[in-house]
Amino acid sequence: MPALSPKVSVVLPFYNAGKTLSEALKSISDQDFPDFECVMVNNNSEDGSRDIAAGWAHDDSRFRLLEEKRQGVMFASNRGCDAARGTYIARMDADDISVPQRLETQVAFMDINMDIGICGTGVEYIEDKKIIFTPCFSL
């Protein structure tokens, strides 16, 4: 059972992401940092990706599935952020893959830099997939 207030809420909106969603969710499930929840927000998918997300929510209590009827990634992202229970929010798209150290590195950075409000990751493109790697930067 996940903590009521995990350290990180991964907000992952999706729309018709059946081809990439499973791999994205697996990369979150495989994180070295275990204190997270993944808030998946379906944005009116018609391709079966909702069923993929529902399976993850059923099999792993760290994953929650929400619905957003207003079309658009910002509506879905905001819905996920509103429902997030974590100290930190990590955004992820349904076609991204996070390396296992992503959350651990970002949390460590944020915990020792309390004056910083946001950090990000670098992105490496491999074929048509985005691979997120761990170096952080701040704004």
Side-chain angles (χ1 to χ4, degrees):
M1 193 82 181
L4 292 178
S5 295
K7 188 76 168 186
V8 179
S9 293
V10 178
V11 174
L12 194 155
F14 65 92
Y15 169 74
N16 287 349
K19 292 180 180 178
T20 60
L21 186 59
S22 290
E23 191 173 10
L25 295 173
K26 175 129 177 51
S27 77
I28 292 301
S29 176
D30 291 346
Q31 289 296 296
D32 292 344
F33 187 83
D35 190 13
F36 73 87
E37 68 173 348
C38 182
V39 183
M40 307 171 291
V41 185
N42 178 32
N43 198 206
N44 304 299
S45 294
E46 301 170 339
D47 71 341
S49 52
R50 185 200 182 282
D51 294 336
I52 293 168
W56 278 88
H58 177 268
D59 294 343
D60 187 332
S61 61
R62 299 173 298 175
F63 290 77
R64 292 190 292 144
L65 175 59
L66 306 176
E67 305 288 338
E68 175 54 59
K69 296 300 178 191
R70 292 172 293 179
Q71 195 64 42
V73 69
M74 289 313 302
F75 288 117
S77 295
N78 288 340
R79 171 84 168 97
C81 288
D82 287 345
R85 300 179 293 211
T87 303
Y88 301 124
I89 294 175
R91 261 287 281 118
M92 182 157 164
D93 291 326
D95 62 348
D96 291 346
I97 299 166
S98 290
V99 297
Q101 306 81 17
R102 176 194 175 185
L103 297 180
E104 181 176 54
T105 302
Q106 289 181 307
V107 167
F109 177 84
M110 294 302 291
D111 281 350
I112 63 172
N113 293 285
M114 300 302 286
D115 58 325
I116 304 256
I118 187 171
C119 79
T121 60
V123 176
E124 178 183 349
Y125 291 92
I126 298 178
E127 295 177 15
D128 292 331
K129 297 179 183 177
K130 286 188 276 186
I131 308 297
I132 298 175
F133 57 94
T134 57
C136 293
F137 56 90
S138 61
L139 300 173

